[in-house]
Amino acid sequence: MTGEGIKKKRDPIFTVCFVVFVVACAAVLGSFVNEKYIQADDTKVAYGDTVVINYTGTFYDYYGNANAVVFDTTNSDIGNNDSVAKSNSYSKSSYSTVEVTVGDGDYLSAFENCLVGHKVGDTVTIAIENAYPAAGTIQSDSLTSTMSVTQIINKERFDDLYDDVSLTGGTGVYFQTNYGWYALAVYNTADNTVTLTYLVTAGTTYEYTGNEDSDYGSVKFTVNSISNGVMEVTMSFEDVTYVDGTDIQMIELVLDGQTVYITGVDTSAGTYSYKTCEETDNATLYFTIEIVSIE
């Protein structure tokens, strides 16, 4: 009876010990499986790796910030979202991840190098100043300038400027110029030239014809005076967005067949700045990059 009584007192202790043993084994096994099989991949990007990424490139600031304007993206939810500000030259209809082999030089070196040391799931940001240096650096000019009321240009030049206007020798054609004012064009077949006469009135303000296509402000031209066939014209800007001092979100302007990007307006000094290269050239570009996988 004594032995039986002792046995009965030990049964609960044995049971508790057994349960503790099983739980401990399960914990050790779980830790082993987690470490060996289901632990997150901590592999980091190294030179020579091929990395699958999504990215969004912007002007003025990183995507998601107030002044950011998207010039390129691999994300369809950004590209197809009309409420997201896009650059003047933005044009994209298909979206997918891209592969970057670090060190190959297919992308900007700073862009590739910034991926090194990061792992899948990381979001990397980098600002690259003057990412694409090119001719047509930012220049400054006065808002007020002079222009001849009458200009003579060759026929080929006219056709390049106004390809929607048909001319017949000796016959005058009225049409609206990009400045907003009208002009009379007369084609002289003898020397293959076109005489343009601007039909302007002093004291009148004309609206640039591309204003309706601009999301970043409007441009106007005021004819201050006309004397001896020369007119004084002041260019003005409305509804622009300043991003830093006199710098503005770029406005695309096409005049006399040349595309320029207005980069800044300083009304107190009576000047504006512009560039004649591509919109992404000679600019600081901001990239937000998501690492999808490392191969």
Side-chain angles (χ1 to χ4, degrees), residues 74-121:
T74 61
N75 296 285
S76 60
D77 55 340
I78 295 175
N80 292 326
N81 188 342
D82 292 337
S83 66
V84 174
K86 309 293 198 313
S87 65
N88 296 283
S89 55
Y90 185 90
S91 177
K92 199 165 188 176
S93 58
S94 61
Y95 302 89
S96 64
T97 57
V98 297
E99 291 186 353
V100 178
T101 300
V102 180
D104 270 11
D106 291 335
Y107 292 81
L108 293 167
S109 58
F111 183 95
E112 294 183 4
N113 293 340
C114 79
L115 304 176
V116 175
H118 292 279
K119 60 184 184 296
V120 172

Side-chain angles (χ1 to χ4, degrees), residues 11-21:
D11 283 345
I13 295 174
F14 174 80
T15 301
V16 170
C17 291
F18 179 75
V19 170
V20 171
F21 174 77

Side-chain angles (χ1 to χ4, degrees), residues 252-268:
E252 184 181 64
L253 196 62
V254 182
L255 294 174
D256 296 334
Q258 183 179 41
T259 299
V260 300
Y261 292 99
I262 309 300
T263 60
V265 179
D266 188 347
T267 53
S268 61

Side-chain angles (χ1 to χ4, degrees), residues 160-223:
D160 287 340
L161 294 176
Y162 306 107
D163 58 1
D164 58 339
V165 179
S166 298
L167 298 180
T168 302
T171 303
V173 175
Y174 293 93
F175 68 99
Q176 187 178 26
T177 68
N178 286 350
Y179 293 96
W181 56 64
Y182 280 82
L184 172 65
V186 178
Y187 176 34
N188 185 346
T189 57
D191 59 5
N192 199 42
T193 61
V194 178
T195 300
L196 289 176
T197 303
Y198 292 143
L199 307 175
V200 294
T201 303
T204 301
T205 297
Y206 301 86
E207 292 199 13
Y208 170 61
T209 56
N211 283 343
E212 64 273 11
D213 298 322
S214 175
D215 295 324
Y216 304 111
S218 60
V219 183
K220 295 182 179 181
F221 299 93
T222 299
V223 178

Side-chain angles (χ1 to χ4, degrees), residues 54 115 118-126 287-291:
N54 272 311
L115 304 176
H118 292 279
K119 60 184 184 296
V120 172
D122 283 356
T123 296
V124 186
T125 57
I126 184 172
F287 292 97
T288 301
I289 310 164
E290 178 192 356
I291 297 179

